[in-house]
Amino acid sequence: MVSSQVILKHGRDRNVRARHPWVFSGAVDKVKGKPQSGATVEVRAANGDLLGLGAWSPASQIQVRLWTCAEASIDHGFFVRCIRQALAYRQQLGIPARNSAYRLINAESDGLPGVVVDVLRLAGDASPTASRVLETHPGRRPAGSDSGQGVYERSDVDVRKKEGLETTTGSLKGATPPAHIDIVEEGRHYRVDVLNGHKTGFYLDQRDNRSVLQQYAAGKTVLNCFSYTGGFSIAALHGGAAQATNIDASQPALDIAAQAAALNGFQPSQMENICGDVFKLLREYRNENRQFDIVVLDPPKFADNRKQLEKAARGYKDINLLGFKLLKPGGLLFTFSCSGLMESSLFQKIVADAAVDADCDARILRKLDQATDHPTRLAFPEGYYLKGLVCQK
Ligand code: SAH
């Protein structure tokens, strides 16, 4: 039984009626009952219409995240259906069959606002039971504790502070993951640090784009900026690249990149790892007239809010200008933005301006975005964040 009701202000029901899954505090007129943080509440329009059921988060500007706009019970069966549906979609695409790591639940866009679940299996472990581990009631069964399976929480993201939630990490169920999980992605081997790596340890959202780079890489030299654990470089070497250079500010990430190269049977000489600041190193390379066939720019999110957009634009312009300068004629720039606030059209304009300032003519060969296990619900455009361009100088 849902005992509490969140009543929206008059005229503030439009977003929810359009199936947007968030209710902002400014739209809330009153709350009937005393819901605890996380409790399921009814969301009603000013005229009493039931609009949906969601999770109550009093400390947040997003006070309700909607589980459903239909009349449903938010019980164990509801979550099991969501998880099964998410898995079925990925299986239909053959993602779990070709990849031992993938995003099973992409939050709002898989119907579970605020919840992200990435599956990481050891390469060669074809166990299909990942979703079964999630589906079981806590405590009902020691899910997979003897088979090395477990659920590990990485709730150490800053946004939790806005919810008034503690940041926390740790084992929720079953076995604690080992320090490294070696995964396979479309035939490429990667090493993932689930416990301490960024996000859940690996940038699964770039999988499809790594596969694109692989197609263009034969015989090429590649400069992979913001490389993290070498994702794009290993794809390039699989595609027959002559040499790849990683630049990242994180030495632990680069150490893993070197280990991953060995996992794939590449020689140490094929991959160079440089720990440093991309902004600085690109300037040094330009001054030394160094040239590459392919430059990858996959920086971290430059804009967390609208106020930072202008500064972010300057950052993208700067690195893209330098990227174009470092390309040989005919060379390819793989350039990305993972800032959701940076719209595709604006990003393209910034890259175009960078080409002008680098005094070069370039064309777009391809437009890229987040991998297919990161879908975006139409009613939730905020879920679309990663965009990229393949430009040829
Ligand atoms: N391309 C990667 C993901 C990149 S994430 C992949 O496919 O896996 C962004 C990376 O940029 C992080 O690893 C972070 O350590 C690094 N980084 C952030 N600021 C940096 C800077 N100024 N110079 C170098 N690396 C930086």
Side-chain angles (χ1 to χ4, degrees), residues 198 202-203 206 210 224 226-229 231-232 247-250 276-279 298-300:
H198 296 174
F202 196 59
Y203 289 87
Q206 288 284 24
R210 288 189 278 266
N224 182 10
F226 310 97
S227 66
Y228 189 48
T229 53
F232 281 103
I247 303 180
D248 202 278
S250 163
D277 177 16
V278 166
F279 291 86
D298 183 24

mmCIF file with all atom_site columns, all heavy atoms in Angstrom, residues 198 202-203 206 210 224 226-229 231-232 247-250 276-279 298-300, ligand 1:
data_model
loop_
_atom_site.group_PDB
_atom_site.id
_atom_site.type_symbol
_atom_site.label_atom_id
_atom_site.label_alt_id
_atom_site.label_comp_id
_atom_site.label_asym_id
_atom_site.label_entity_id
_atom_site.label_seq_id
_atom_site.pdbx_PDB_ins_code
_atom_site.Cartn_x
_atom_site.Cartn_y
_atom_site.Cartn_z
_atom_site.occupancy
_atom_site.B_iso_or_equiv
_atom_site.pdbx_formal_charge
_atom_site.auth_seq_id
_atom_site.auth_comp_id
_atom_site.auth_asym_id
_atom_site.auth_atom_id
_atom_site.pdbx_PDB_model_num
ATOM   1   N N   . HIS A 1 198 ? 37.551 4.314  -12.224 1.00 0.00 ? 198 HIS A N   1
ATOM   2   C CA  . HIS A 1 198 ? 36.514 5.338  -12.432 1.00 0.00 ? 198 HIS A CA  1
ATOM   3   C C   . HIS A 1 198 ? 35.157 4.671  -12.633 1.00 0.00 ? 198 HIS A C   1
ATOM   4   O O   . HIS A 1 198 ? 35.073 3.597  -13.194 1.00 0.00 ? 198 HIS A O   1
ATOM   5   C CB  . HIS A 1 198 ? 36.819 6.182  -13.682 1.00 0.00 ? 198 HIS A CB  1
ATOM   6   C CG  . HIS A 1 198 ? 38.090 6.968  -13.554 1.00 0.00 ? 198 HIS A CG  1
ATOM   7   N ND1 . HIS A 1 198 ? 38.624 7.686  -14.585 1.00 0.00 ? 198 HIS A ND1 1
ATOM   8   C CD2 . HIS A 1 198 ? 38.923 7.137  -12.508 1.00 0.00 ? 198 HIS A CD2 1
ATOM   9   C CE1 . HIS A 1 198 ? 39.739 8.271  -14.184 1.00 0.00 ? 198 HIS A CE1 1
ATOM   10  N NE2 . HIS A 1 198 ? 39.944 7.954  -12.924 1.00 0.00 ? 198 HIS A NE2 1
ATOM   11  N N   . PHE A 1 202 ? 35.157 0.807  -15.831 1.00 0.00 ? 202 PHE A N   1
ATOM   12  C CA  . PHE A 1 202 ? 35.450 0.795  -17.269 1.00 0.00 ? 202 PHE A CA  1
ATOM   13  C C   . PHE A 1 202 ? 34.414 1.635  -18.001 1.00 0.00 ? 202 PHE A C   1
ATOM   14  O O   . PHE A 1 202 ? 33.245 1.651  -17.611 1.00 0.00 ? 202 PHE A O   1
ATOM   15  C CB  . PHE A 1 202 ? 35.400 -0.652 -17.786 1.00 0.00 ? 202 PHE A CB  1
ATOM   16  C CG  . PHE A 1 202 ? 36.049 -0.843 -19.131 1.00 0.00 ? 202 PHE A CG  1
ATOM   17  C CD1 . PHE A 1 202 ? 37.383 -0.528 -19.321 1.00 0.00 ? 202 PHE A CD1 1
ATOM   18  C CD2 . PHE A 1 202 ? 35.329 -1.353 -20.192 1.00 0.00 ? 202 PHE A CD2 1
ATOM   19  C CE1 . PHE A 1 202 ? 37.990 -0.707 -20.564 1.00 0.00 ? 202 PHE A CE1 1
ATOM   20  C CE2 . PHE A 1 202 ? 35.928 -1.544 -21.442 1.00 0.00 ? 202 PHE A CE2 1
ATOM   21  C CZ  . PHE A 1 202 ? 37.254 -1.223 -21.615 1.00 0.00 ? 202 PHE A CZ  1
ATOM   22  N N   . TYR A 1 203 ? 34.844 2.316  -19.066 1.00 0.00 ? 203 TYR A N   1
ATOM   23  C CA  . TYR A 1 203 ? 33.927 3.169  -19.832 1.00 0.00 ? 203 TYR A CA  1
ATOM   24  C C   . TYR A 1 203 ? 33.221 2.342  -20.907 1.00 0.00 ? 203 TYR A C   1
ATOM   25  O O   . TYR A 1 203 ? 33.586 2.349  -22.072 1.00 0.00 ? 203 TYR A O   1
ATOM   26  C CB  . TYR A 1 203 ? 34.675 4.372  -20.420 1.00 0.00 ? 203 TYR A CB  1
ATOM   27  C CG  . TYR A 1 203 ? 35.076 5.366  -19.352 1.00 0.00 ? 203 TYR A CG  1
ATOM   28  C CD1 . TYR A 1 203 ? 36.269 5.240  -18.664 1.00 0.00 ? 203 TYR A CD1 1
ATOM   29  C CD2 . TYR A 1 203 ? 34.211 6.395  -18.990 1.00 0.00 ? 203 TYR A CD2 1
ATOM   30  C CE1 . TYR A 1 203 ? 36.621 6.123  -17.644 1.00 0.00 ? 203 TYR A CE1 1
ATOM   31  C CE2 . TYR A 1 203 ? 34.548 7.285  -17.975 1.00 0.00 ? 203 TYR A CE2 1
ATOM   32  C CZ  . TYR A 1 203 ? 35.748 7.145  -17.321 1.00 0.00 ? 203 TYR A CZ  1
ATOM   33  O OH  . TYR A 1 203 ? 36.082 8.016  -16.316 1.00 0.00 ? 203 TYR A OH  1
ATOM   34  N N   . GLN A 1 206 ? 31.798 3.685  -24.417 1.00 0.00 ? 206 GLN A N   1
ATOM   35  C CA  . GLN A 1 206 ? 32.609 3.909  -25.623 1.00 0.00 ? 206 GLN A CA  1
ATOM   36  C C   . GLN A 1 206 ? 32.842 2.628  -26.442 1.00 0.00 ? 206 GLN A C   1
ATOM   37  O O   . GLN A 1 206 ? 33.584 2.647  -27.420 1.00 0.00 ? 206 GLN A O   1
ATOM   38  C CB  . GLN A 1 206 ? 33.981 4.500  -25.236 1.00 0.00 ? 206 GLN A CB  1
ATOM   39  C CG  . GLN A 1 206 ? 33.933 5.960  -24.779 1.00 0.00 ? 206 GLN A CG  1
ATOM   40  C CD  . GLN A 1 206 ? 33.776 6.929  -25.935 1.00 0.00 ? 206 GLN A CD  1
ATOM   41  O OE1 . GLN A 1 206 ? 33.282 6.575  -27.004 1.00 0.00 ? 206 GLN A OE1 1
ATOM   42  N NE2 . GLN A 1 206 ? 34.189 8.169  -25.727 1.00 0.00 ? 206 GLN A NE2 1
ATOM   43  N N   . ARG A 1 210 ? 34.982 2.405  -29.888 1.00 0.00 ? 210 ARG A N   1
ATOM   44  C CA  . ARG A 1 210 ? 36.278 1.712  -29.979 1.00 0.00 ? 210 ARG A CA  1
ATOM   45  C C   . ARG A 1 210 ? 36.270 0.793  -31.203 1.00 0.00 ? 210 ARG A C   1
ATOM   46  O O   . ARG A 1 210 ? 37.275 0.686  -31.920 1.00 0.00 ? 210 ARG A O   1
ATOM   47  C CB  . ARG A 1 210 ? 36.537 0.912  -28.692 1.00 0.00 ? 210 ARG A CB  1
ATOM   48  C CG  . ARG A 1 210 ? 36.861 1.791  -27.495 1.00 0.00 ? 210 ARG A CG  1
ATOM   49  C CD  . ARG A 1 210 ? 37.326 0.968  -26.288 1.00 0.00 ? 210 ARG A CD  1
ATOM   50  N NE  . ARG A 1 210 ? 36.239 0.411  -25.510 1.00 0.00 ? 210 ARG A NE  1
ATOM   51  C CZ  . ARG A 1 210 ? 35.694 0.979  -24.421 1.00 0.00 ? 210 ARG A CZ  1
ATOM   52  N NH1 . ARG A 1 210 ? 36.164 2.130  -23.984 1.00 0.00 ? 210 ARG A NH1 1
ATOM   53  N NH2 . ARG A 1 210 ? 34.722 0.397  -23.759 1.00 0.00 ? 210 ARG A NH2 1
ATOM   54  N N   . ASN A 1 224 ? 46.273 8.765  -28.196 1.00 0.00 ? 224 ASN A N   1
ATOM   55  C CA  . ASN A 1 224 ? 45.030 8.568  -27.446 1.00 0.00 ? 224 ASN A CA  1
ATOM   56  C C   . ASN A 1 224 ? 45.059 9.460  -26.201 1.00 0.00 ? 224 ASN A C   1
ATOM   57  O O   . ASN A 1 224 ? 45.679 9.110  -25.193 1.00 0.00 ? 224 ASN A O   1
ATOM   58  C CB  . ASN A 1 224 ? 44.918 7.079  -27.086 1.00 0.00 ? 224 ASN A CB  1
ATOM   59  C CG  . ASN A 1 224 ? 43.632 6.750  -26.346 1.00 0.00 ? 224 ASN A CG  1
ATOM   60  O OD1 . ASN A 1 224 ? 42.724 7.584  -26.254 1.00 0.00 ? 224 ASN A OD1 1
ATOM   61  N ND2 . ASN A 1 224 ? 43.552 5.534  -25.821 1.00 0.00 ? 224 ASN A ND2 1
ATOM   62  N N   . PHE A 1 226 ? 43.532 11.429 -22.923 1.00 0.00 ? 226 PHE A N   1
ATOM   63  C CA  . PHE A 1 226 ? 42.576 11.039 -21.870 1.00 0.00 ? 226 PHE A CA  1
ATOM   64  C C   . PHE A 1 226 ? 42.272 9.548  -22.020 1.00 0.00 ? 226 PHE A C   1
ATOM   65  O O   . PHE A 1 226 ? 41.122 9.122  -22.103 1.00 0.00 ? 226 PHE A O   1
ATOM   66  C CB  . PHE A 1 226 ? 41.285 11.865 -21.957 1.00 0.00 ? 226 PHE A CB  1
ATOM   67  C CG  . PHE A 1 226 ? 41.491 13.355 -22.039 1.00 0.00 ? 226 PHE A CG  1
ATOM   68  C CD1 . PHE A 1 226 ? 41.488 14.015 -23.258 1.00 0.00 ? 226 PHE A CD1 1
ATOM   69  C CD2 . PHE A 1 226 ? 41.701 14.100 -20.882 1.00 0.00 ? 226 PHE A CD2 1
ATOM   70  C CE1 . PHE A 1 226 ? 41.676 15.388 -23.335 1.00 0.00 ? 226 PHE A CE1 1
ATOM   71  C CE2 . PHE A 1 226 ? 41.886 15.478 -20.947 1.00 0.00 ? 226 PHE A CE2 1
ATOM   72  C CZ  . PHE A 1 226 ? 41.876 16.121 -22.177 1.00 0.00 ? 226 PHE A CZ  1
ATOM   73  N N   . SER A 1 227 ? 43.331 8.759  -22.053 1.00 0.00 ? 227 SER A N   1
ATOM   74  C CA  . SER A 1 227 ? 43.217 7.347  -22.453 1.00 0.00 ? 227 SER A CA  1
ATOM   75  C C   . SER A 1 227 ? 42.602 6.453  -21.397 1.00 0.00 ? 227 SER A C   1
ATOM   76  O O   . SER A 1 227 ? 42.143 5.365  -21.711 1.00 0.00 ? 227 SER A O   1
ATOM   77  C CB  . SER A 1 227 ? 44.606 6.814  -22.764 1.00 0.00 ? 227 SER A CB  1
ATOM   78  O OG  . SER A 1 227 ? 45.384 6.795  -21.565 1.00 0.00 ? 227 SER A OG  1
ATOM   79  N N   . TYR A 1 228 ? 42.641 6.903  -20.118 1.00 0.00 ? 228 TYR A N   1
ATOM   80  C CA  . TYR A 1 228 ? 42.258 6.017  -19.004 1.00 0.00 ? 228 TYR A CA  1
ATOM   81  C C   . TYR A 1 228 ? 43.052 4.699  -19.144 1.00 0.00 ? 228 TYR A C   1
ATOM   82  O O   . TYR A 1 228 ? 44.271 4.758  -19.273 1.00 0.00 ? 228 TYR A O   1
ATOM   83  C CB  . TYR A 1 228 ? 40.728 5.811  -18.977 1.00 0.00 ? 228 TYR A CB  1
ATOM   84  C CG  . TYR A 1 228 ? 40.238 5.097  -17.751 1.00 0.00 ? 228 TYR A CG  1
ATOM   85  C CD1 . TYR A 1 228 ? 40.650 5.464  -16.474 1.00 0.00 ? 228 TYR A CD1 1
ATOM   86  C CD2 . TYR A 1 228 ? 39.353 4.021  -17.854 1.00 0.00 ? 228 TYR A CD2 1
ATOM   87  C CE1 . TYR A 1 228 ? 40.200 4.790  -15.338 1.00 0.00 ? 228 TYR A CE1 1
ATOM   88  C CE2 . TYR A 1 228 ? 38.884 3.347  -16.732 1.00 0.00 ? 228 TYR A CE2 1
ATOM   89  C CZ  . TYR A 1 228 ? 39.322 3.731  -15.481 1.00 0.00 ? 228 TYR A CZ  1
ATOM   90  O OH  . TYR A 1 228 ? 38.871 3.058  -14.374 1.00 0.00 ? 228 TYR A OH  1
ATOM   91  N N   . THR A 1 229 ? 42.401 3.527  -19.162 1.00 0.00 ? 229 THR A N   1
ATOM   92  C CA  . THR A 1 229 ? 43.144 2.266  -19.177 1.00 0.00 ? 229 THR A CA  1
ATOM   93  C C   . THR A 1 229 ? 43.446 1.765  -20.591 1.00 0.00 ? 229 THR A C   1
ATOM   94  O O   . THR A 1 229 ? 43.652 0.574  -20.802 1.00 0.00 ? 229 THR A O   1
ATOM   95  C CB  . THR A 1 229 ? 42.368 1.187  -18.394 1.00 0.00 ? 229 THR A CB  1
ATOM   96  O OG1 . THR A 1 229 ? 41.023 1.118  -18.923 1.00 0.00 ? 229 THR A OG1 1
ATOM   97  C CG2 . THR A 1 229 ? 42.295 1.536  -16.915 1.00 0.00 ? 229 THR A CG2 1
ATOM   98  N N   . GLY A 1 231 ? 41.594 2.002  -23.495 1.00 0.00 ? 231 GLY A N   1
ATOM   99  C CA  . GLY A 1 231 ? 40.493 1.445  -24.285 1.00 0.00 ? 231 GLY A CA  1
ATOM   100 C C   . GLY A 1 231 ? 40.641 1.627  -25.787 1.00 0.00 ? 231 GLY A C   1
ATOM   101 O O   . GLY A 1 231 ? 40.625 0.654  -26.551 1.00 0.00 ? 231 GLY A O   1
ATOM   102 N N   . PHE A 1 232 ? 40.814 2.872  -26.226 1.00 0.00 ? 232 PHE A N   1
ATOM   103 C CA  . PHE A 1 232 ? 40.895 3.125  -27.674 1.00 0.00 ? 232 PHE A CA  1
ATOM   104 C C   . PHE A 1 232 ? 42.200 2.589  -28.270 1.00 0.00 ? 232 PHE A C   1
ATOM   105 O O   . PHE A 1 232 ? 42.219 2.114  -29.403 1.00 0.00 ? 232 PHE A O   1
ATOM   106 C CB  . PHE A 1 232 ? 40.760 4.622  -27.964 1.00 0.00 ? 232 PHE A CB  1
ATOM   107 C CG  . PHE A 1 232 ? 39.338 5.113  -27.929 1.00 0.00 ? 232 PHE A CG  1
ATOM   108 C CD1 . PHE A 1 232 ? 38.861 5.826  -26.836 1.00 0.00 ? 232 PHE A CD1 1
ATOM   109 C CD2 . PHE A 1 232 ? 38.473 4.846  -28.982 1.00 0.00 ? 232 PHE A CD2 1
ATOM   110 C CE1 . PHE A 1 232 ? 37.537 6.268  -26.805 1.00 0.00 ? 232 PHE A CE1 1
ATOM   111 C CE2 . PHE A 1 232 ? 37.154 5.283  -28.959 1.00 0.00 ? 232 PHE A CE2 1
ATOM   112 C CZ  . PHE A 1 232 ? 36.683 5.995  -27.854 1.00 0.00 ? 232 PHE A CZ  1
ATOM   113 N N   . ILE A 1 247 ? 47.910 9.134  -23.290 1.00 0.00 ? 247 ILE A N   1
ATOM   114 C CA  . ILE A 1 247 ? 48.203 10.193 -22.315 1.00 0.00 ? 247 ILE A CA  1
ATOM   115 C C   . ILE A 1 247 ? 47.067 10.222 -21.307 1.00 0.00 ? 247 ILE A C   1
ATOM   116 O O   . ILE A 1 247 ? 45.886 10.297 -21.682 1.00 0.00 ? 247 ILE A O   1
ATOM   117 C CB  . ILE A 1 247 ? 48.291 11.594 -22.961 1.00 0.00 ? 247 ILE A CB  1
ATOM   118 C CG1 . ILE A 1 247 ? 49.348 11.623 -24.061 1.00 0.00 ? 247 ILE A CG1 1
ATOM   119 C CG2 . ILE A 1 247 ? 48.591 12.648 -21.897 1.00 0.00 ? 247 ILE A CG2 1
ATOM   120 C CD1 . ILE A 1 247 ? 49.458 12.991 -24.733 1.00 0.00 ? 247 ILE A CD1 1
ATOM   121 N N   . ASP A 1 248 ? 47.410 10.165 -20.027 1.00 0.00 ? 248 ASP A N   1
ATOM   122 C CA  . ASP A 1 248 ? 46.394 10.314 -18.979 1.00 0.00 ? 248 ASP A CA  1
ATOM   123 C C   . ASP A 1 248 ? 47.066 10.863 -17.726 1.00 0.00 ? 248 ASP A C   1
ATOM   124 O O   . ASP A 1 248 ? 48.264 10.696 -17.516 1.00 0.00 ? 248 ASP A O   1
ATOM   125 C CB  . ASP A 1 248 ? 45.714 8.977  -18.674 1.00 0.00 ? 248 ASP A CB  1
ATOM   126 C CG  . ASP A 1 248 ? 44.346 9.179  -18.018 1.00 0.00 ? 248 ASP A CG  1
ATOM   127 O OD1 . ASP A 1 248 ? 44.293 9.400  -16.789 1.00 0.00 ? 248 ASP A OD1 1
ATOM   128 O OD2 . ASP A 1 248 ? 43.336 9.130  -18.738 1.00 0.00 ? 248 ASP A OD2 1
ATOM   129 N N   . ALA A 1 249 ? 46.236 11.515 -16.896 1.00 0.00 ? 249 ALA A N   1
ATOM   130 C CA  . ALA A 1 249 ? 46.756 12.068 -15.650 1.00 0.00 ? 249 ALA A CA  1
ATOM   131 C C   . ALA A 1 249 ? 46.886 11.010 -14.559 1.00 0.00 ? 249 ALA A C   1
ATOM   132 O O   . ALA A 1 249 ? 47.485 11.267 -13.527 1.00 0.00 ? 249 ALA A O   1
ATOM   133 C CB  . ALA A 1 249 ? 45.830 13.182 -15.173 1.00 0.00 ? 249 ALA A CB  1
ATOM   134 N N   . SER A 1 250 ? 46.306 9.838  -14.798 1.00 0.00 ? 250 SER A N   1
ATOM   135 C CA  . SER A 1 250 ? 46.300 8.788  -13.766 1.00 0.00 ? 250 SER A CA  1
ATOM   136 C C   . SER A 1 250 ? 47.312 7.692  -14.070 1.00 0.00 ? 250 SER A C   1
ATOM   137 O O   . SER A 1 250 ? 47.161 6.932  -15.029 1.00 0.00 ? 250 SER A O   1
ATOM   138 C CB  . SER A 1 250 ? 44.894 8.180  -13.671 1.00 0.00 ? 250 SER A CB  1
ATOM   139 O OG  . SER A 1 250 ? 44.939 6.942  -13.008 1.00 0.00 ? 250 SER A OG  1
ATOM   140 N N   . GLY A 1 276 ? 50.559 12.584 -17.625 1.00 0.00 ? 276 GLY A N   1
ATOM   141 C CA  . GLY A 1 276 ? 50.713 14.034 -17.654 1.00 0.00 ? 276 GLY A CA  1
ATOM   142 C C   . GLY A 1 276 ? 49.408 14.720 -18.014 1.00 0.00 ? 276 GLY A C   1
ATOM   143 O O   . GLY A 1 276 ? 48.366 14.075 -18.141 1.00 0.00 ? 276 GLY A O   1
ATOM   144 N N   . ASP A 1 277 ? 49.504 16.035 -18.173 1.00 0.00 ? 277 ASP A N   1
ATOM   145 C CA  . ASP A 1 277 ? 48.342 16.857 -18.477 1.00 0.00 ? 277 ASP A CA  1
ATOM   146 C C   . ASP A 1 277 ? 48.212 17.020 -19.997 1.00 0.00 ? 277 ASP A C   1
ATOM   147 O O   . ASP A 1 277 ? 49.127 17.521 -20.656 1.00 0.00 ? 277 ASP A O   1
ATOM   148 C CB  . ASP A 1 277 ? 48.540 18.228 -17.807 1.00 0.00 ? 277 ASP A CB  1
ATOM   149 C CG  . ASP A 1 277 ? 47.408 19.187 -18.125 1.00 0.00 ? 277 ASP A CG  1
ATOM   150 O OD1 . ASP A 1 277 ? 46.348 18.734 -18.595 1.00 0.00 ? 277 ASP A OD1 1
ATOM   151 O OD2 . ASP A 1 277 ? 47.597 20.402 -17.898 1.00 0.00 ? 277 ASP A OD2 1
ATOM   152 N N   . VAL A 1 278 ? 47.087 16.571 -20.532 1.00 0.00 ? 278 VAL A N   1
ATOM   153 C CA  . VAL A 1 278 ? 46.889 16.608 -21.989 1.00 0.00 ? 278 VAL A CA  1
ATOM   154 C C   . VAL A 1 278 ? 47.056 18.028 -22.530 1.00 0.00 ? 278 VAL A C   1
ATOM   155 O O   . VAL A 1 278 ? 47.716 18.240 -23.554 1.00 0.00 ? 278 VAL A O   1
ATOM   156 C CB  . VAL A 1 278 ? 45.493 16.049 -22.360 1.00 0.00 ? 278 VAL A CB  1
ATOM   157 C CG1 . VAL A 1 278 ? 45.124 16.400 -23.797 1.00 0.00 ? 278 VAL A CG1 1
ATOM   158 C CG2 . VAL A 1 278 ? 45.439 14.540 -22.148 1.00 0.00 ? 278 VAL A CG2 1
ATOM   159 N N   . PHE A 1 279 ? 46.483 19.020 -21.840 1.00 0.00 ? 279 PHE A N   1
ATOM   160 C CA  . PHE A 1 279 ? 46.543 20.404 -22.340 1.00 0.00 ? 279 PHE A CA  1
ATOM   161 C C   . PHE A 1 279 ? 47.993 20.842 -22.532 1.00 0.00 ? 279 PHE A C   1
ATOM   162 O O   . PHE A 1 279 ? 48.332 21.524 -23.497 1.00 0.00 ? 279 PHE A O   1
ATOM   163 C CB  . PHE A 1 279 ? 45.837 21.352 -21.363 1.00 0.00 ? 279 PHE A CB  1
ATOM   164 C CG  . PHE A 1 279 ? 44.345 21.158 -21.310 1.00 0.00 ? 279 PHE A CG  1
ATOM   165 C CD1 . PHE A 1 279 ? 43.768 20.203 -20.478 1.00 0.00 ? 279 PHE A CD1 1
ATOM   166 C CD2 . PHE A 1 279 ? 43.507 21.918 -22.114 1.00 0.00 ? 279 PHE A CD2 1
ATOM   167 C CE1 . PHE A 1 279 ? 42.394 20.028 -20.428 1.00 0.00 ? 279 PHE A CE1 1
ATOM   168 C CE2 . PHE A 1 279 ? 42.129 21.749 -22.082 1.00 0.00 ? 279 PHE A CE2 1
ATOM   169 C CZ  . PHE A 1 279 ? 41.576 20.789 -21.237 1.00 0.00 ? 279 PHE A CZ  1
ATOM   170 N N   . ASP A 1 298 ? 39.090 12.187 -25.714 1.00 0.00 ? 298 ASP A N   1
ATOM   171 C CA  . ASP A 1 298 ? 37.920 11.728 -24.939 1.00 0.00 ? 298 ASP A CA  1
ATOM   172 C C   . ASP A 1 298 ? 38.023 12.264 -23.511 1.00 0.00 ? 298 ASP A C   1
ATOM   173 O O   . ASP A 1 298 ? 38.230 11.501 -22.565 1.00 0.00 ? 298 ASP A O   1
ATOM   174 C CB  . ASP A 1 298 ? 37.856 10.191 -24.946 1.00 0.00 ? 298 ASP A CB  1
ATOM   175 C CG  . ASP A 1 298 ? 36.623 9.668  -24.222 1.00 0.00 ? 298 ASP A CG  1
ATOM   176 O OD1 . ASP A 1 298 ? 35.632 10.415 -24.116 1.00 0.00 ? 298 ASP A OD1 1
ATOM   177 O OD2 . ASP A 1 298 ? 36.652 8.506  -23.775 1.00 0.00 ? 298 ASP A OD2 1
ATOM   178 N N   . PRO A 1 299 ? 37.881 13.587 -23.360 1.00 0.00 ? 299 PRO A N   1
ATOM   179 C CA  . PRO A 1 299 ? 38.115 14.194 -22.042 1.00 0.00 ? 299 PRO A CA  1
ATOM   180 C C   . PRO A 1 299 ? 36.998 13.878 -21.060 1.00 0.00 ? 299 PRO A C   1
ATOM   181 O O   . PRO A 1 299 ? 35.914 13.442 -21.467 1.00 0.00 ? 299 PRO A O   1
ATOM   182 C CB  . PRO A 1 299 ? 38.123 15.697 -22.366 1.00 0.00 ? 299 PRO A CB  1
ATOM   183 C CG  . PRO A 1 299 ? 37.261 15.825 -23.571 1.00 0.00 ? 299 PRO A CG  1
ATOM   184 C CD  . PRO A 1 299 ? 37.485 14.567 -24.370 1.00 0.00 ? 299 PRO A CD  1
ATOM   185 N N   . PRO A 1 300 ? 37.250 14.112 -19.767 1.00 0.00 ? 300 PRO A N   1
ATOM   186 C CA  . PRO A 1 300 ? 36.181 13.971 -18.775 1.00 0.00 ? 300 PRO A CA  1
ATOM   187 C C   . PRO A 1 300 ? 35.134 15.052 -19.004 1.00 0.00 ? 300 PRO A C   1
ATOM   188 O O   . PRO A 1 300 ? 35.337 15.972 -19.801 1.00 0.00 ? 300 PRO A O   1
ATOM   189 C CB  . PRO A 1 300 ? 36.902 14.175 -17.443 1.00 0.00 ? 300 PRO A CB  1
ATOM   190 C CG  . PRO A 1 300 ? 38.098 14.990 -17.775 1.00 0.00 ? 300 PRO A CG  1
ATOM   191 C CD  . PRO A 1 300 ? 38.501 14.589 -19.167 1.00 0.00 ? 300 PRO A CD  1
HETATM 192 N N1  . SAH B 2 .   ? 38.854 7.123  -23.318 1.00 0.00 ? 1   SAH B N1  1
HETATM 193 C C1  . SAH B 2 .   ? 38.735 6.393  -22.079 1.00 0.00 ? 1   SAH B C1  1
HETATM 194 C C2  . SAH B 2 .   ? 37.932 7.136  -21.029 1.00 0.00 ? 1   SAH B C2  1
HETATM 195 C C3  . SAH B 2 .   ? 38.436 8.516  -20.681 1.00 0.00 ? 1   SAH B C3  1
HETATM 196 S S1  . SAH B 2 .   ? 37.808 9.170  -19.180 1.00 0.00 ? 1   SAH B S1  1
HETATM 197 C C4  . SAH B 2 .   ? 38.191 5.004  -22.333 1.00 0.00 ? 1   SAH B C4  1
HETATM 198 O O1  . SAH B 2 .   ? 37.685 4.732  -23.444 1.00 0.00 ? 1   SAH B O1  1
HETATM 199 O O2  . SAH B 2 .   ? 38.265 4.164  -21.440 1.00 0.00 ? 1   SAH B O2  1
HETATM 200 C C5  . SAH B 2 .   ? 38.750 10.625 -18.956 1.00 0.00 ? 1   SAH B C5  1
HETATM 201 C C6  . SAH B 2 .   ? 40.175 10.415 -18.500 1.00 0.00 ? 1   SAH B C6  1
HETATM 202 O O3  . SAH B 2 .   ? 40.819 11.686 -18.530 1.00 0.00 ? 1   SAH B O3  1
HETATM 203 C C7  . SAH B 2 .   ? 40.379 9.900  -17.090 1.00 0.00 ? 1   SAH B C7  1
HETATM 204 O O4  . SAH B 2 .   ? 41.128 8.710  -17.150 1.00 0.00 ? 1   SAH B O4  1
HETATM 205 C C8  . SAH B 2 .   ? 41.186 10.988 -16.364 1.00 0.00 ? 1   SAH B C8  1
HETATM 206 O O5  . SAH B 2 .   ? 42.206 10.453 -15.526 1.00 0.00 ? 1   SAH B O5  1
HETATM 207 C C9  . SAH B 2 .   ? 41.808 11.735 -17.503 1.00 0.00 ? 1   SAH B C9  1
HETATM 208 N N2  . SAH B 2 .   ? 42.120 13.169 -17.311 1.00 0.00 ? 1   SAH B N2  1
HETATM 209 C C10 . SAH B 2 .   ? 41.338 14.135 -16.801 1.00 0.00 ? 1   SAH B C10 1
HETATM 210 N N3  . SAH B 2 .   ? 41.924 15.351 -16.926 1.00 0.00 ? 1   SAH B N3  1
HETATM 211 C C11 . SAH B 2 .   ? 43.107 15.141 -17.542 1.00 0.00 ? 1   SAH B C11 1
HETATM 212 C C12 . SAH B 2 .   ? 44.159 15.995 -17.989 1.00 0.00 ? 1   SAH B C12 1
HETATM 213 N N4  . SAH B 2 .   ? 44.087 17.313 -17.832 1.00 0.00 ? 1   SAH B N4  1
HETATM 214 N N5  . SAH B 2 .   ? 45.215 15.431 -18.596 1.00 0.00 ? 1   SAH B N5  1
HETATM 215 C C13 . SAH B 2 .   ? 45.287 14.093 -18.769 1.00 0.00 ? 1   SAH B C13 1
HETATM 216 N N6  . SAH B 2 .   ? 44.311 13.253 -18.404 1.00 0.00 ? 1   SAH B N6  1
HETATM 217 C C14 . SAH B 2 .   ? 43.242 13.756 -17.795 1.00 0.00 ? 1   SAH B C14 1
#
